[in-house]
Amino acid sequence: MKYLEGPFAPVTEEVTAFDLPVTGRIPAELNGRYLRNGPNPLGVEDPVVHVWGMGQGMVHGIRLRDGRAEWYRNRFVRTPGFAPMVHVIEHARRTFALAEAGLPPAELDEELNTVGVCALGGTAEGFTAGAHSKHDPLTGELHSLAYMVGQTFVQHIVTGVEGNVVRATGIPLTRTPFLHDFALTENHVVLWDTPLGFDGFDCRWLPGHPTRVGVMPRTGGDVRWLDVEPVHVSHTLNAYDDGDSVVVDLVTAEGPFDPADPGAIRPVLDRWTITPDKVHQQRMDDRPQDFPRLNETRATRPYRYGYSAAAALYGVPFAPEGPPPDDAFTNALVKHDLERGTTEVHGFGDDEAVGEAVFAPTGQGEDEGYLLTYVHNPRRNASDLVILPAQDFTGEPVARVHLPVRVPLGLHGNWLPDR
């Protein structure tokens, strides 16, 4: 079972380490915490039927301040049942671990200890903030598209800057979808209803179910549904309004998709331009990649740069240009210049497992900042926090912070700067 081995293998201990060694120089302007969540299943009874996303969440974090790596911590998210294992965010000056499918968030303290289950984004119908809740950088509000197993509707939930729910809009569907991510613009919410969904409590690909894209005003109202060819939608890079159209950049893959084997697909980067009567689909990059991120200050608006990962999850060779040669990267980060239609690739070694990288802005320019990601260092059998300058993306990292332990390949996280 590969999702319990190699770069996925769970770690058994919670570790705290101070004054971490560094190769290079940590930029002095990076003051804050880099946190990342992911499943860390222990005591799996039957590895043959194990699902990677099912397991206790574990948050890994590094505290940077004044050019130093003050501490590294990894902590289990300690809540009953399946603890939130998908994402970790900050809102209303509090830190939350997020899950999906109706599992409530958990609040964490500054040192990643679990405070308890909480009702961030909680509504009267029992929904809470979903896995890919998104901040609007213009308003500070948190937007969630939440689903719950057994319910044939989802909710768009808006949580205000102080943590209170200011609006919740129900969107009726025909069954419970697997709605891992969605898109948000200044004026619209965009969601997808694909063949991947719940048949009872069993999540599976239903070939007869259509794929359709829904566009709803952020303030609520009717959803405009448009049909597209069957496809699996992985993650959203960004979305924005363009006159009467909505532009969504996202990662898609041909179905069927098996939730028990997420690495079996070949995800690519697409652009969907949604006009009043049609979804125009354009392939932006046909090389395998996922975990797209951007400078979040540009979220919901037109933007130029996006970043994705040729992640160890998929293990597919990724070439800078043309067909992959024998020495193509199987672990790489990619910078997309969406205005010029060009890419830059920062490759890592075959055994240097890399996943999502997050952008830490340090100035007003869209690519003025750094990419942060955990990378497995096979020479030490431990992980490094790699800090890449966005404006010298293919160059050497400005710093590698050497962790005392390995960080398993996981899911999503954020840079939480000091306020």
Side-chain angles (χ1 to χ4, degrees):
M1 169 37 101
K2 68 178 181 180
Y3 300 110
L4 293 170
E5 301 172 349
F8 302 94
V11 295
T12 59
E13 296 181 353
E14 295 177 324
V15 173
T16 303
F18 298 97
D19 294 321
L20 305 171
V22 179
T23 298
R25 180 189 64 83
I26 298 173
E29 60 267 40
L30 291 181
N31 293 294
R33 296 175 299 158
Y34 169 55
L35 308 184
R36 203 221 63 200
N37 202 350
N40 193 75
L42 298 179
V44 176
E45 294 182 4
D46 187 353
V48 174
V49 297
H50 172 67
V51 177
W52 181 42
M54 302 296 286
Q56 200 81 354
M58 175 175 274
V59 176
H60 301 259
I62 288 183
R63 180 66 162 95
L64 304 180
R65 180 154 42 198
D66 298 331
R68 296 173 49 242
E70 288 190 347
W71 54 251
Y72 161 80
R73 287 179 167 87
N74 64 319
R75 294 292 186 271
F76 283 103
V77 184
R78 299 183 181 278
T79 60
F82 291 114
M85 77 299 285
V86 179
H87 208 348
V88 56
I89 67 168
E90 184 176 67
H91 187 66
R93 299 172 296 279
R94 297 157 68 191
T95 304
F96 302 96
L98 302 180
E100 58 190 310
L103 292 176
E107 184 176 355
L108 310 178
D109 67 16
E110 284 287 317
E111 297 182 344
L112 309 186
N113 302 300
T114 303
V115 176
V117 174
C118 66
L120 175 70
T123 69
E125 295 79 8
F127 290 79
T128 52
H132 274 281
S133 297
K134 302 178 188 298
H135 280 106
D136 182 333
L138 301 178
T139 67
E141 295 173 329
L142 184 71
H143 290 253
S144 304
L145 211 293
Y147 72 95
M148 189 184 305
V149 177
Q151 297 287 356
T152 56
F153 70 101
V154 300
Q155 281 192 324
H156 170 230
I157 304 167
V158 183
T159 304
V161 294
E162 297 301 324
N164 56 307
V165 173
V166 298
R167 185 170 60 256
T169 303
I171 302 172
L173 295 166
T174 59
R175 48 103 198 231
T176 305
F178 181 82
L179 229 173
H180 180 66
D181 203 352
F182 70 106
L184 184 72
T185 74
E186 288 188 68
N187 299 302
H188 296 95
V189 175
V190 184
L191 67 157
W192 19 87
D193 184 14
T194 77
L196 186 64
F198 287 85
D199 184 9
F201 288 91
D202 181 23
C203 184
R204 61 189 182 91
W205 186 269
L206 303 173
H209 191 86
T211 300
R212 56 183 187 154
V213 180
V215 180
M216 184 185 78
R218 267 176 45 162
T219 54
D222 294 335
V223 179
R224 172 164 48 95
W225 290 104
L226 298 168
D227 292 332
V228 296
E229 291 297 314
V231 68
H232 171 63
V233 178
S234 176
H235 295 106
T236 303
L237 172 53
N238 195 24
Y240 58 90
D241 299 306
D242 184 12
D244 292 336
S245 300
V246 175
V247 178
V248 183
D249 294 334
L250 71 175
V251 172
T252 70
E254 294 182 2
F257 177 85
D258 180 1
D261 191 10
I265 60 172
R266 192 179 189 277
V268 295
L269 182 64
D270 284 348
R271 169 166 289 181
W272 289 0
T273 302
I274 307 169
T275 62
D277 59 357
K278 187 175 181 180
V279 180
H280 301 267
Q281 297 170 275
Q282 176 187 356
R283 182 62 39 86
M284 303 288 282
D285 194 338
D286 63 0
R287 296 171 295 182
Q289 60 198 283
D290 202 352
F291 302 102
R293 296 299 294 258
L294 77 159
N295 180 340
E296 302 289 344
T297 64
R298 264 55 176 192
T300 76
R301 292 176 290 161
Y303 69 119
R304 178 174 178 177
Y305 299 110
Y307 306 87
S308 56
L313 171 63
Y314 303 106
V316 181
F318 186 102
E321 296 179 353
D326 292 340
D327 59 350
F329 304 117
T330 53
N331 289 281
L333 296 178
V334 188
K335 178 181 179 180
H336 296 274
D337 185 330
L338 299 170
E339 286 186 5
R340 295 183 177 179
T342 59
T343 59
E344 297 177 76
V345 179
H346 188 101
F348 297 90
D350 285 349
D351 296 323
E352 291 188 296
V354 65
E356 178 186 75
V358 304
F359 190 92
T362 57
Q364 297 302 310
E366 186 177 340
D367 67 344
E368 193 172 342
Y370 299 89
L371 278 302
L372 309 179
T373 187
Y374 292 123
V375 178
H376 179 243
N377 186 327
R379 295 178 297 279
R380 300 191 303 110
N381 192 30
S383 294
D384 296 336
L385 171 66
V386 173
I387 305 176
L388 284 177
Q391 295 181 339
D392 185 19
F393 189 75
T394 61
E396 289 296 315
V398 297
R400 278 182 176 256
V401 180
H402 304 300
L403 278 58
V405 294
R406 182 177 56 83
V407 177
L409 195 67
L411 291 170
H412 307 294
N414 273 296
W415 167 246
L416 308 182
D418 293 345
R419 303 297 182 186

